[in-house]
Amino acid sequence: MTAEEKKGRRTRLDDIAARCGVSISTVSRALAGEKGVRPEIRKLVLETASAVSYALPASVAGKKVMLVASGAAMIDYVRNQFTLHVLEGLNARAAALGIELAMRPVADKADEARVVAEMRDDPSFGGMLILTVDDEDMLAAAAGLGKPVVLVNSDDPYMRLSSVTPCNRSAAFIAAEHLIKAGHERVLFMLRPGRRTIERRLEGWRDALQHHGLQADADLVLEVDDWLPELGAEAITRLVRDKGLCFTAILTAGDSLANGAVLGLQAMGYAVPQDISVMGIDDLPQSAFLNPPLSTVHIPMRELGATALDLLRDMMLGLATPRRRVELSCHLVERGSVAAVSGADAEPRGR
């Protein structure tokens, strides 16, 4: 399809929406034969599309989508459950759209080459979702497939591939600013490094400190080898024993590390939030039942999966060009692990 043809197609889609008095997304769903569109609206959209000689796309129902999940995603599935909730959203949306998801775990370069070859050679696959993959070789190979591909909880720095992620940078900014407004000027940031999504959260923490004229010192960044709460507890224990309490609050790049930080502090005799405030990012369901309940930033995990499949579907129908990076908004969840700094309590009491 030429550029002019693509432009004309988009124009007709806009025209159909305007004539019917509905949104473009409603037109897209009606033309694709999806559930959730009232019969009279579907009939109106189809009749209008015919009147403007719009080339109706084939339904994606019955098409297969390959879901490639990295080893990191599978580890997370067991340890942190972020991936579990993303997959729940994906599976629910696939059922609504009548799309078959075929999962392919990848643990190394050989696995990546195998799934790319299968995707390229098997015509029954209409598109590919890649979950939690940052490997450049895999992204480059996927970009050359000639089939629609969407990254889930990851992004392509070269924008060869469309992607859907949370607003990681602003999520961390929201969390850090909440702590700063509570009077905390020394906010420790805990993370497991290695992924661009987590680097975005580090950047958001740094943005908030700098925005409020505070120093984002290197000694306020604590790296942990894994997301396991016990490793977070060990890291906090070592830091406090070696350097003392050089912070009044902790922000972690994930709720599981926040859980570990609370456990480590409590084991040393510190009270949360009376002595140290702790805040996470993710809002995993179990975080509401910690002691104390964890203040955090809600990441729309189920919506992440559903939105990625919606974008891939639109690409399979030829309705989503050019490539795009979609970020879903996040919001603050205040519970019991953060307290304001007051004149009497500005210094942690210690044990």
Side-chain angles (χ1 to χ4, degrees), residues 223-240:
E223 296 185 354
V224 184
D225 291 335
D226 209 333
W227 294 105
L228 294 171
E230 53 264 36
L231 295 183
E234 292 172 4
I236 281 293
T237 300
R238 283 194 304 270
L239 178 65
V240 173

Side-chain angles (χ1 to χ4, degrees), residues 44-67:
L44 176 61
V45 168
L46 292 173
E47 289 175 348
T48 305
S50 176
V52 298
S53 300
Y54 181 82
L56 296 178
S59 170
V60 298
K63 297 287 182 67
K64 289 169 60 178
V65 166
M66 183 183 291
L67 173 59

Side-chain angles (χ1 to χ4, degrees), residues 137-154:
D137 291 341
M138 178 67 184
L139 300 188
L145 275 172
K147 291 184 178 181
V149 178
V150 172
L151 304 180
V152 189
N153 197 34
S154 182

Side-chain angles (χ1 to χ4, degrees), residues 260-275:
V262 171
L263 294 174
L265 290 167
Q266 291 173 339
M268 288 185 286
Y270 295 102
V272 177
Q274 293 87 347
D275 294 328

